[in-house]
Amino acid sequence: MGKDKRQAYWRANTALIRNLLIVWALVSLVFSILLVEQLNALRIGGLPLGFWMAQQGSILTFVVLIFIYAIQMDKLDRKYGIRK
């Protein structure tokens, strides 16, 4: 793999990681901590949304982010010809 291709691959990889970390930070910090009082005004299944996000929503989001990362990295690997 040439240097330009490696740099493009690395840029795409770090951009994906950055974007997923932004989502992770929004869910875990903003929705689960900073906006918990405002979200508690809404209810899901009888529980306040802020509580639900802190307990269940964050965990579900993290699991989804792992799958998104794996799928997107597989696409990047194929695009740039990285063999496993």
Side-chain angles (χ1 to χ4, degrees):
M1 182 185 309
K3 183 178 180 179
D4 291 337
K5 199 172 182 181
R6 278 194 310 249
Q7 287 177 340
Y9 175 77
W10 185 246
R11 274 193 303 273
N13 185 3
T14 55
L16 174 61
I17 292 169
R18 180 197 62 230
N19 294 337
L20 293 176
L21 283 174
I22 289 170
V23 172
W24 171 76
L26 282 172
V27 170
S28 65
L29 180 64
V30 176
F31 294 141
S32 298
I33 297 172
L34 298 176
L35 296 177
V36 71
E37 294 299 325
Q38 291 86 350
L39 292 175
N40 279 339
L42 303 171
R43 293 196 166 292
I44 288 186
L47 294 172
L49 181 58
F51 173 79
W52 189 87
M53 282 301 294
Q55 298 301 313
Q56 302 299 325
S58 296
I59 295 169
L60 293 175
T61 301
F62 300 152
V63 171
V64 169
L65 289 176
I66 291 168
F67 282 105
I68 290 171
Y69 178 74
I71 291 166
Q72 293 300 321
M73 281 307 297
D74 188 50
K75 289 179 184 177
L76 274 178
D77 289 348
R78 277 190 256 124
K79 178 179 177 182
Y80 288 97
I82 306 296
R83 292 190 178 147
K84 295 181 181 180

